[in-house]
Amino acid sequence: MRVSLVAVGGSSSSSCGYCSAPGERASQKTSKSFYLFTYALDPEAYQALIDAGWRRSGEVLYKPDNSRTCCPQHPIRLPIERFNISRSQRRALKSLFWEVHAPEDGTRPMKKRGDDNDPFDLESFWLNTEWTSQDEHRKAGGTTDNTEGNSWYRFPKRRRLEITLHPASHTEEKFQLYKRYQTTVHKDEEAKITHDSWKRFLVRNSFHTQSDVDDAGPVDVDSNDPIPYGGYHQEWR
């Protein structure tokens, strides 16, 4: 483990972007945390802090004061085998599905197969959920497959969903997405959302290994080569 260099920032209070009234940003400083400013950070030291409940925002580490803060924050481990998807999560996935699979005119004539109470499997949902019989929609403009004596119909994909992993970096596209999120979810004033605040929050870091990450470029997730520790952006397109 290499030496990490940090400076104690101490306790601080800020307004909360989560428990505000709908459509508003809280005016009172009810969010309480303890801060460290990092200048050089070893990934193993960072992992130990994360396991102890710390969080990172750019080059700043902070630990919520759960005894005093308005919205206590707790690390979560999700047992995948026991996960039950909620109705709102199903709706979100269905919306994403249609972005990829719906025909060019945007119509959605196909009906969902299966029951909302069935055990959820993402791969099965993505590949099979929106199939229906050819006889019902054979004039809708799709293709057919014959499998085990059954004729099925589906639309060709309108888009291709790609998920890639890149070293953390600034682009105008990412900044605009960040700004839309901050104004919509946290009700931040648009004038206060700057390129520098975006970089400070989600691009910069103090990892010793970041130069290795930047030199390596986009990650080939199918490769057996080790992935350097550092800051990344997962991009969905």
Side-chain angles (χ1 to χ4, degrees):
M1 182 184 295
R2 297 175 62 179
V3 173
S4 296
L5 181 62
V6 302
V8 176
S11 299
S12 182
S13 302
S14 63
S15 61
C16 181
Y18 293 101
C19 64
S20 311
E24 299 178 8
R25 173 79 185 196
S27 57
Q28 295 183 336
K29 295 183 177 181
T30 56
S31 180
K32 316 286 185 181
S33 294
F34 189 88
Y35 289 84
L36 294 176
F37 299 101
T38 66
Y39 300 97
L41 189 59
D42 183 83
E44 291 184 35
Y46 173 61
Q47 183 66 61
L49 288 167
I50 291 297
D51 290 343
W54 288 76
R55 296 166 177 239
R56 183 176 69 86
S57 174
E59 296 169 321
V60 175
L61 295 173
Y62 65 99
K63 192 175 193 304
D65 184 348
N66 285 345
S67 65
R68 298 192 304 134
T69 193
C70 54
C71 294
Q73 300 161 50
H74 303 280
I76 296 175
R77 283 190 172 91
L78 177 64
I80 300 299
E81 66 279 1
R82 299 204 303 270
F83 172 63
N84 291 318
I85 190 170
S86 68
R87 181 171 295 180
S88 62
Q89 289 168 333
R90 283 183 186 270
R91 284 198 296 265
L93 274 174
K94 193 170 184 179
S95 177
L96 175 62
F97 181 97
W98 281 114
E99 282 295 313
V100 175
H101 287 269
E104 292 295 339
D105 62 8
T107 57
R108 304 181 180 185
M110 292 183 289
K111 297 181 180 179
K112 176 181 176 296
R113 293 171 58 211
D115 191 309
D116 280 345
N117 295 320
D118 289 343
F120 178 76
D121 178 81
L122 179 59
E123 183 177 8
S124 176
F125 175 91
W126 192 258
L127 295 177
N128 302 315
T129 297
E130 301 297 337
W131 288 48
T132 189
S133 67
Q134 179 189 7
D135 291 338
E136 291 180 49
H137 301 295
R138 59 184 177 180
K139 295 182 180 180
T143 59
T144 60
D145 286 334
N146 291 310
T147 305
E148 298 180 357
N150 296 319
S151 182
W152 297 98
Y153 163 86
R154 66 174 174 177
F155 286 117
K157 290 184 179 180
R158 179 172 57 169
R159 301 180 184 177
R160 180 182 178 185
L161 178 65
E162 293 183 323
I163 304 174
T164 55
L165 194 63
H166 294 261
S169 63
H170 164 73
T171 67
E172 185 62 25
E173 180 186 33
K174 293 179 184 178
F175 170 69
Q176 292 300 327
L177 177 62
Y178 165 75
K179 182 165 69 172
R180 188 162 71 247
Y181 175 83
Q182 291 298 115
T183 55
T184 303
V185 176
H186 294 299
K187 312 305 176 186
D188 288 352
E189 296 179 25
E190 187 169 339
K192 294 183 178 180
I193 303 173
T194 65
H195 287 81
D196 188 64
S197 67
W198 137 254
K199 293 176 186 177
R200 186 173 63 247
F201 185 38
L202 289 173
V203 178
R204 298 172 187 156
N205 66 69
S206 303
F207 293 124
H208 289 303
T209 52
Q210 191 60 39
S211 59
D212 296 332
V213 171
D214 295 337
D215 291 342
V219 174
D220 181 0
V221 294
D222 295 322
S223 171
N224 292 324
D225 296 334
I227 299 175
Y229 288 106
Y232 292 90
H233 288 161
Q234 188 180 68
E235 300 181 9
W236 292 52
R237 298 182 182 279

Coordinates of all heavy atoms in Angstrom, one line a residue, residues 6 17 32 46 64 95 102 120 124 139 155 183 198 205:
V6 N -3.8 13.2 3.1 CA -5.1 13.9 3.3 C -4.9 15.0 4.3 O -4.0 15.1 5.1 CB -6.2 12.9 3.7 CG1 -6.3 11.7 2.8 CG2 -5.9 12.4 5.1
G17 N -30.3 17.8 -0.6 CA -31.0 17.7 -1.9 C -32.0 16.6 -2.0 O -32.5 16.3 -3.1
K32 N -25.4 16.8 7.7 CA -24.1 16.9 8.5 C -23.2 15.8 8.1 O -23.5 14.6 8.1 CB -24.5 16.7 10.0 CG -25.7 17.5 10.5 CD -25.5 19.0 10.6 CE -26.7 19.7 11.2 NZ -26.5 21.2 11.3
Y46 N -8.5 3.7 0.2 CA -9.9 4.2 -0.2 C -10.9 3.1 0.0 O -12.0 3.4 0.6 CB -9.9 4.6 -1.7 CG -11.2 5.0 -2.2 CD1 -12.0 6.0 -1.7 CD2 -11.7 4.3 -3.3 CE1 -13.2 6.3 -2.2 CE2 -13.0 4.6 -3.8 CZ -13.7 5.6 -3.3 OH -14.9 5.9 -3.8
P64 N -21.0 10.8 6.5 CA -22.2 11.4 7.0 C -22.3 11.1 8.5 O -22.0 10.0 9.0 CB -23.4 10.6 6.3 CG -22.7 10.1 5.0 CD -21.3 9.8 5.4
S95 N -39.6 1.2 -20.0 CA -39.4 2.4 -20.8 C -38.1 2.3 -21.6 O -38.0 2.7 -22.7 CB -39.4 3.6 -19.8 OG -39.1 4.8 -20.5
A102 N -38.7 -0.3 -29.8 CA -39.9 0.1 -30.5 C -39.7 0.5 -31.9 O -38.6 0.9 -32.3 CB -40.5 1.4 -29.7
F120 N -38.0 -12.3 -11.2 CA -37.4 -11.4 -12.2 C -36.1 -11.8 -12.6 O -35.2 -12.1 -11.8 CB -37.4 -10.0 -11.7 CG -36.8 -9.0 -12.6 CD1 -37.5 -8.5 -13.7 CD2 -35.5 -8.6 -12.5 CE1 -37.0 -7.7 -14.6 CE2 -34.9 -7.7 -13.4 CZ -35.7 -7.2 -14.5
S124 N -33.8 -12.5 -19.3 CA -35.1 -13.0 -19.8 C -36.0 -11.9 -20.1 O -36.7 -11.9 -21.2 CB -35.7 -13.9 -18.8 OG -37.0 -14.4 -19.2
K139 N -49.0 -7.6 -39.4 CA -48.9 -6.5 -40.3 C -48.2 -5.3 -39.7 O -48.2 -4.3 -40.3 CB -50.3 -6.1 -40.7 CG -51.1 -7.1 -41.5 CD -52.4 -6.6 -41.9 CE -53.2 -7.7 -42.7 NZ -54.5 -7.2 -43.2
F155 N -40.4 -6.8 -33.2 CA -39.9 -5.7 -34.0 C -38.3 -5.8 -34.0 O -37.7 -6.2 -33.1 CB -40.2 -4.3 -33.3 CG -41.6 -3.9 -33.5 CD1 -42.5 -3.8 -32.4 CD2 -42.2 -3.7 -34.7 CE1 -43.8 -3.4 -32.5 CE2 -43.5 -3.3 -34.9 CZ -44.3 -3.2 -33.8
T183 N -30.5 19.9 -11.6 CA -31.7 20.8 -11.6 C -33.0 20.0 -11.4 O -33.9 20.5 -10.7 CB -31.8 21.6 -12.9 OG1 -31.8 20.7 -14.0 CG2 -30.6 22.5 -13.0
W198 N -18.8 20.5 -11.9 CA -19.0 19.1 -12.5 C -17.7 18.3 -12.4 O -17.7 17.2 -12.0 CB -19.6 19.2 -13.9 CG -19.0 18.3 -14.9 CD1 -18.1 18.6 -15.9 CD2 -19.2 16.9 -15.0 NE1 -17.8 17.5 -16.6 CE2 -18.5 16.4 -16.1 CE3 -20.0 15.9 -14.3 CZ2 -18.5 15.1 -16.5 CZ3 -20.0 14.6 -14.7 CH2 -19.2 14.2 -15.8
N205 N -10.0 13.1 -9.2 CA -9.7 12.3 -8.0 C -8.2 12.3 -7.7 O -7.4 12.9 -8.5 CB -10.2 10.9 -8.3 CG -9.4 10.2 -9.3 OD1 -8.2 9.9 -9.2 ND2 -10.1 9.9 -10.5

